[in-house]
Amino acid sequence: MKKTNTFPKFISLILLIFSSTISLTVEAQNKRTLAYTLSMSQPENHTFHVELKASGWSQDTLSLKMPKWMPGYYQIMDYAKSLENISANDQQGKKLSIVQSNENTWKLTGAKNKTFTVSYDIKTKRQFVANSYLDSEHAYVICPNTFLYVDGFLNTPVSVKVLTNQPKHVIATGLDKVAGKSNEFTAPDFDILYDCPLLIGELESLPSFKVKGINHQFIAYKMGTFNRDLFNENLEKIVSSAVKIMGDIPYNEYTFIGIGPGRGGIEHLNNTTVSFDGTGLTTTASMGQVMNFLAHEYFHHYNVKRIRPFELGPFDYDKGSRSNLLWISEGLTVYYEYLVVKRAGLMDEKMLFNNLEHNINAVENNNGRFYQSLSQASYNTWKDGPFGTQGEEVGKTISYYDKGPIVGLLLDFAIRNASQNTKSLDDVMRLLYWQYYKKLNRGFTDAEFQTACEQAAGLSLANVFEYINTTKELDYRKYLAFAGLGIKEEIELNGKRKISIARLEKPTPLQEQILKSWLGE
């Protein structure tokens, strides 16, 4: 009898079993499901009902968490306080243990290899762009305020079904629709889910328009009575003006979603939700104001959603994502809001100066400028709020919404002057977009932002960056002069300073060139 060596066969068998085990494990992970059903049978109680059906989990105990905030609104919102009546069952109807372990976490036991359902209610109270709200006529759903996530599994795909019980209700959202279904949606992960609110009701839409072949549309609840054709024409000009700065559209379609009553606006990757009532759009001034607002929220899809500080993604939904750079995300967006509207032909020079003067005078009449820098205001917004503390420390803080655009203006003029008007802040924003978002797929640091500005200028801008990191007083005359502009100052009867911007009488050719290109003329 011939002797054979069975060891290699044994090894091959072990490797086969090991490989199969890994394959099955990966397959099981890929089959994890999280499917939410949102219903609203109690609109008179302002209460949503949520059912989460899940399966494919190899863990016995899962931590279900509700975010404490939402990206785009940098405040702790404590969304878990709105959650009530939570329970869990397996597919046979047997109750599973689900116990709240801290202010925004519930421990679910008995999930391993089971299909289970978690049910709970979301009580809504406040009509605000960063809160969910339900009444008898419409629903506004902030996903971080509504859908629990499984701790450690934010990358899990998710589906959402909406039950409205109202045949005339339609749904506006940035989520991907399930083919053939008007009320079912999917997201590849929770960052995308949490980035896409839903507005539900008898909504009205303006005709869609294309920019670079991409569809854009305005849809709203209680849109109001106004010149809709003019509004839509202006909105198309806004989008075209902003796209021209970057030279790229990174989404497949974009929706402006007017939520009706409420306050504020929140930016998202392919949509924005804004408080809106068109009834008041009866004057040039009121139309201009809302175009500024929409330009701001639209430009955010570039600046903060894609051109972002490195801290803003991946997000920390528990603690918040603190950054020194919100003055760029918000302050520079205010600055570009003005430029976008001006370059769209919807704002004249006087209106542009008036907007900047408003920010300058807000800064100069706030003693907080002696106590808090722009970078500190950015980092402390979680405590102070975006407009500065209004309580005990009033007068000790600033708003990056006011000082941010003014520092952006000075920085822009410094770059234009140093480069003989061959470069501007536009070039910096494009570099950040193409280098860090498109190529590296990450945010930028404080140092990388300064380097980008100095590369455009061709020299050190340390003096300008002192305005960001210290409380050094702003030298308006020096930097505005680069564009042939000066300031006038007077003291009002109430003792406040009033600063205005005006053209210099005898500008140099370079000053004229800088001013003309800055104005987009």
Side-chain angles (χ1 to χ4, degrees), residues 11 24 30 36 151 165 183 223 235 247 256 279 378 454 467:
I11 293 297
L24 288 171
N30 290 337
Y36 296 88
D151 192 20
N165 301 321
N183 68 330
M223 192 177 291
L235 191 57
F256 295 87
T279 302
S378 299
E454 292 177 341
Y467 296 141

Side-chain angles (χ1 to χ4, degrees), residues 301-318:
H301 90 79
Y302 290 121
N303 189 31
V304 80
K305 296 308 297 182
R306 293 177 172 91
I307 302 171
R308 62 175 177 82
F310 78 98
E311 298 95 342
L312 296 186
F315 298 109
D316 186 335
Y317 292 106
D318 256 356

Side-chain angles (χ1 to χ4, degrees), residues 492-503:
E492 297 182 307
L493 293 176
N494 59 11
K496 289 188 175 182
R497 299 167 68 190
K498 182 180 180 182
I499 294 173
S500 57
I501 300 172
R503 288 186 180 231

Side-chain angles (χ1 to χ4, degrees), residues 86-138:
I86 192 166
S87 64
N89 298 282
D90 64 18
Q91 62 190 115
Q92 283 76 40
K94 179 183 176 182
K95 283 191 175 295
L96 300 179
S97 173
I98 186 164
V99 178
Q100 187 167 5
S101 58
N102 64 32
E103 57 191 354
N104 71 321
T105 306
W106 288 260
K107 294 283 188 183
L108 171 68
T109 305
K112 187 174 182 178
N113 298 328
K114 290 182 180 178
T115 296
F116 60 90
T117 301
V118 178
S119 301
Y120 56 92
D121 297 325
I122 297 293
K123 184 77 172 179
T124 71
K125 298 177 181 179
R126 181 186 180 197
Q127 295 191 66
F128 178 49
V129 73
N131 285 101
S132 294
Y133 188 76
L134 173 66
D135 62 22
S136 59
E137 294 184 342
H138 83 302

Side-chain angles (χ1 to χ4, degrees), residues 45-61:
N45 295 330
H46 309 291
T47 301
F48 293 106
H49 183 68
V50 181
E51 287 194 355
L52 165 59
K53 187 174 182 179
S55 63
W57 296 83
S58 59
Q59 297 81 3
D60 188 64
T61 300

Side-chain angles (χ1 to χ4, degrees), residues 445-456:
T445 67
D446 310 52
E448 287 166 341
F449 178 77
Q450 183 167 346
T451 296
C453 293
E454 292 177 341
Q455 284 178 352

